[in-house]
Amino acid sequence: MIIAWLAIAIICFVIGFVLNKLFPADYKWFMRLRRPRWLTFEGAIPFIWISIFICGITSAAVIWEAQPATISTWILMIGYAIVEIAVLAYTPVMTRLRNVRVGAIVGAIGFILGVILAALVWQVSSLAGWLLVPYLLWSPVGTYVTWVMARLNPPEI
């Protein structure tokens, strides 16, 4: 399991690294946006995402170990990659377009893809399915925060 976990973690890191290099985000613009007053946990968000990615990597490793190198497992691995790409697209897409509403839409798409992936994963391993629950719980929260921020920060025309 350690080798599968490590290989998946490296692939996850490479996808994130490549996406950040290909599509750099305008963090200065993002940091100037107005936030809801109740958003007191923003400092915890990076740690929440680190935990979610660890759970996702572990979920993928559990699936790989349950059915190594089968066609259905490779399809699920592609599903994990698609969800990761959707999650990581949030910031560069939103900041490049300078439109917070687009960020909320990207977040919602990521959640829908996560639900589909979890439903497929659960058929192979309930443990792997449970490991996706933190993402399924957090994603709507993050999407809602972004949607509220969109109302506070109308698009620039």
Side-chain angles (χ1 to χ4, degrees), residues 29 32-33 97-99 153-157:
W29 172 82
R32 288 191 308 263
L33 294 174
L97 297 175
R98 292 183 180 248
N99 188 322
N153 300 279
E156 297 173 4
I157 298 175

Side-chain angles (χ1 to χ4, degrees), residues 14-62:
V14 168
I15 289 171
F17 183 81
V18 169
L19 282 174
N20 279 312
K21 289 298 179 189
L22 290 176
F23 307 104
D26 186 353
Y27 292 106
K28 288 180 185 175
W29 172 82
F30 183 74
M31 294 313 291
R32 288 191 308 263
L33 294 174
R34 293 178 50 217
R35 283 140 170 80
R37 288 187 186 142
W38 49 261
L39 184 59
T40 58
F41 54 89
E42 190 169 12
I45 292 173
F47 300 104
I48 292 167
W49 276 113
I50 289 168
S51 300
I52 288 169
F53 276 110
I54 290 169
C55 287
I57 290 165
T58 306
S59 173
V62 167

Side-chain angles (χ1 to χ4, degrees), residues 8 17 35 41 45 54 77 83 94 98 117 121 124 141 144 157:
I8 292 166
F17 183 81
R35 283 140 170 80
F41 54 89
I45 292 173
I54 290 169
M77 294 302 122
V83 170
M94 177 179 56
R98 292 183 180 248
L117 178 64
V121 162
V124 178
V141 173
Y144 177 72
I157 298 175

Side-chain angles (χ1 to χ4, degrees), residues 48-149:
I48 292 167
W49 276 113
I50 289 168
S51 300
I52 288 169
F53 276 110
I54 290 169
C55 287
I57 290 165
T58 306
S59 173
V62 167
I63 291 295
W64 186 265
E65 290 294 321
Q67 299 177 340
T70 64
I71 300 273
S72 61
T73 299
W74 278 111
I75 291 170
L76 288 174
M77 294 302 122
I78 292 168
Y80 281 101
I82 290 169
V83 170
E84 179 187 6
I85 290 167
V87 167
L88 295 176
Y90 165 85
T91 302
V93 168
M94 177 179 56
T95 60
R96 178 145 310 178
L97 297 175
R98 292 183 180 248
N99 188 322
V100 185
R101 184 159 285 136
V102 170
I105 292 167
V106 170
I109 290 169
F111 173 71
I112 292 165
L113 293 172
V115 168
I116 293 167
L117 178 64
L120 295 171
V121 162
W122 224 293
Q123 295 174 24
V124 178
S125 166
S126 61
L127 173 59
W130 280 111
L131 285 164
L132 294 177
V133 168
Y135 172 69
L136 297 177
L137 293 174
W138 174 253
S139 182
V141 173
T143 300
Y144 177 72
V145 168
T146 306
W147 192 257
V148 171
M149 286 178 64

